[in-house]
Amino acid sequence: MALLAATVWAQAPGANYDEAKVGNFTLPDPLRMQSGQMVKDAATWRTKRRPEILRLFEETVYGRTPAARKIEYEMVNQAKDALGGKATRKQVTVWPVGRPGPTMHILMYLPNARKGAVPVFLGLNFGGNQAVQPDPAIAITKNWVRPPRHSKETRATEASRGAEASRWPVEMIVSRGYGVATVYYGDLFPDNKDGLPDSIIPKMYKPGQKARAPEDWNAIGAWAYGLSRALDYLEKDTDVDAKRVAVLGHSRLGKTSLWAGAQDERFALVISNNSGEGGASLARRNFGETVERINTAFPHWFNDNFKKYNTRVNDLPVDQHMLIALIAPRPVYIASAQEDQWADPKGEFLAGKGADPVYRLLGTDGMGAAQWPGVHQPVMTRIGYHLRAGKHDVTNYDWDQFIKFADRHMPKR
Ligand code: GCU
């Protein structure tokens, strides 16, 4: 599949996969202000250190997101007999930067067996909404899509229906009492290095602005913005309990769900699946993908300042444990896969662990595991984690843990 091709291409030779060669590194202390002052109470975290870390991530990694525009939306269609009568399917068009303007399309499935508003898993998809389910009623995206292997075709066709279905076990999610909502990430920013002009970013330039500044947002910022605007819509949908929306994403979209959850505290729970470099895994650990590699292969993902750290990651004022800490005290779940060495599964665990002092300061149980757990030993404390057998992907095993974690941390009313 297209995504696989991109992944193989990105796994450059020369990456380190030897634990003995990771070297020593010191992580910035999430509880130490830039001034050197230590954070000793929740109020100082909330009013001083959290805003400071958020600003540092904006300035040096993901870029600054402009103030949100008010969305407009239209219900395109609704069917109460989806999934053989088990679910209601809705398709909603949203104008995320105001109308007129670019549109994004939300596809939702809500359990019909619901009593009142339901909690929802919200995530972006890679191939267009039509790829999420083999359901002929789903509108095929008209936007740029990554061409399938051996093809230059950048428009989605009928053949793409259900192509991503294994990653979206909608029946299982619905049968366990949750709704699911998804948006095609290409509605916000076409995922290629020349995607900027066709993204929402120029539409949000200030009057007279012609280009992005080095600290400005880029693709991951635009994708995360889309997740927050999807939540704006969910807040208006009375079938949804918007106080129980879990934001999730896989891989580059896992980086995105973390950044969305860090910025937007309305997300009740945040899930990162195999998010790797620039997501849950530590930048300072030289294992698998590196900052230099990701900025070279995907120059459109992070802001321009991040490139200055390509060969000096130890000078970054942040590391990814601090991104997890921005989510505190809300529940966060980090999922790794054993064969996904490119994403550095151990580095993903250590970032979760590194956020533990902040979670504990805020009165939660933090990360329950002292050591990196073995395969299929999920940790279900407020910072959750698992290492699954197998490759870079989203599987039913992953979803089973996400749902158990949500059952525990976003209890049914
Ligand atoms: C590439 C990239 C990763 C990314 C992945 C994906 O492998 O190097 O950083 O997570 O693509 O999004 O599938």
Side-chain angles (χ1 to χ4, degrees):
M1 275 206 344
L3 192 63
L4 200 61
T7 307
V8 170
W9 165 71
Q11 297 200 6
N16 177 46
Y17 291 110
D18 181 352
E19 200 56 51
K21 291 192 183 135
V22 165
N24 294 322
F25 58 88
T26 310
L27 291 178
D29 185 338
L31 293 176
R32 189 190 187 90
M33 299 283 305
Q34 293 288 93
S35 66
Q37 186 203 332
M38 290 304 294
V39 177
K40 299 210 177 73
D41 54 72
T44 312
W45 167 261
R46 194 73 247 126
T47 58
K48 297 223 168 81
R49 182 57 169 156
R50 189 182 183 282
E52 180 176 75
I53 295 176
L54 193 54
R55 215 170 317 114
L56 290 170
F57 273 107
E58 289 171 350
E59 281 167 12
T60 60
V61 184
Y62 303 103
R64 221 177 17 217
T65 308
R69 301 260 177 90
K70 202 170 168 314
I71 61 155
E72 291 199 37
Y73 64 92
E74 261 171 33
M75 180 68 62
V76 178
N77 58 49
Q78 230 185 121
K80 298 211 160 106
D81 59 352
L83 304 179
K86 290 188 206 118
T88 295
R89 185 197 58 238
K90 299 187 187 185
Q91 299 188 81
V92 185
T93 295
V94 174
W95 283 261
V97 300
R99 192 172 177 173
T103 51
M104 66 179 201
H105 305 279
I106 305 181
L107 168 68
M108 296 166 71
Y109 289 89
L110 300 173
N112 282 341
R114 64 186 185 271
K115 297 190 199 73
V118 285
V120 164
F121 288 97
L122 166 68
L124 299 171
N125 66 71
F126 283 96
N129 291 346
Q130 81 288 345
V132 167
Q133 282 290 290
D135 175 344
I138 301 173
I140 295 186
T141 181
K142 296 191 179 73
N143 285 331
W144 180 97
V145 292
R146 184 182 298 280
R149 218 210 264 257
H150 308 305
S151 161
K152 291 205 167 81
E153 186 49 62
T154 57
R155 297 294 144 191
T157 65
E158 286 289 330
S160 64
R161 288 196 180 280
E164 247 176 275
S166 70
R167 290 179 172 177
W168 296 93
V170 173
E171 290 217 33
M172 164 179 165
I173 300 165
V174 160
S175 73
R176 286 167 70 172
Y178 292 86
V180 56
T182 185
V183 171
Y184 173 47
Y185 78 147
D187 290 356
L188 287 316
F189 194 120
D191 189 9
N192 65 71
K193 65 178 175 39
D194 304 316
L196 179 73
D198 298 320
S199 76
I200 59 168
I201 289 180
K203 306 287 186 306
M204 292 187 76
Y205 282 167
K206 295 188 208 89
Q209 186 183 347
K210 294 211 166 53
R212 289 167 51 260
E215 70 270 20
D216 282 352
W217 60 336
N218 221 339
I220 291 178
W223 298 331
Y225 177 91
L227 287 167
S228 285
R229 303 295 69 79
L231 181 54
D232 293 346
Y233 164 74
L234 294 177
E235 285 183 332
K236 297 182 193 296
D237 188 321
T238 52
D239 291 330
V240 171
D241 183 351
K243 297 227 160 15
R244 290 187 298 157
V245 173
V247 63
L248 88 164
H250 170 60
S251 209
R252 66 198 70 183
L253 297 178
K255 310 180 207 298
T256 304
S257 63
L258 289 171
W259 180 229
Q263 295 178 92
D264 190 338
E265 294 185 276
R266 294 174 303 163
F267 288 114
L269 189 153
V270 182
I271 299 169
S272 142
N273 193 81
N274 304 180
S275 63
E277 191 72 30
S281 83
L282 293 173
R284 279 170 177 74
R285 248 179 72 86
N286 175 24
F287 193 100
E289 190 171 23
T290 61
V291 169
E292 182 173 28
R293 182 65 212 172
I294 205 167
N295 278 331
T296 307
F298 306 100
H300 57 293
W301 285 1
F302 301 89
N303 76 1
D304 296 344
N305 282 339
F306 195 41
K307 281 125 193 138
K308 298 177 188 157
Y309 296 92
N310 278 354
T311 55
R312 44 183 197 96
V313 284
N314 289 305
D315 293 343
L316 273 167
V318 292
D319 209 317
Q320 299 306 106
H321 62 310
M322 293 156 77
L323 180 67
I324 312 291
L326 288 175
I327 297 163
R330 291 166 294 151
V332 60
Y333 195 87
I334 301 167
S336 302
Q338 201 179 23
E339 290 169 32
D340 186 20
Q341 295 292 306
W342 183 240
D344 187 13
K346 186 174 181 185
E348 294 181 319
F349 168 75
L350 289 174
K353 189 80 192 153
D356 176 85
V358 176
Y359 272 81
R360 287 188 194 263
L361 179 75
L362 301 182
T364 78
D365 56 1
M367 161 67 83
Q371 304 296 330
W372 186 27
V375 171
H376 299 167
Q377 293 171 32
V379 179
M380 290 280 166
T381 45
R382 191 73 71 106
I383 306 172
Y385 178 85
H386 75 236
L387 177 64
R388 164 178 61 70
K391 62 182 176 61
H392 185 72
D393 199 1
V394 194
T395 68
N396 284 4
Y397 177 87
D398 298 315
W399 273 102
D400 187 34
Q401 312 318 312
F402 301 158
I403 293 169
K404 285 178 179 148
F405 187 73
D407 283 348
R408 176 174 309 197
H409 294 284
M410 282 202 314
K412 299 194 172 67
R413 291 236 175 105

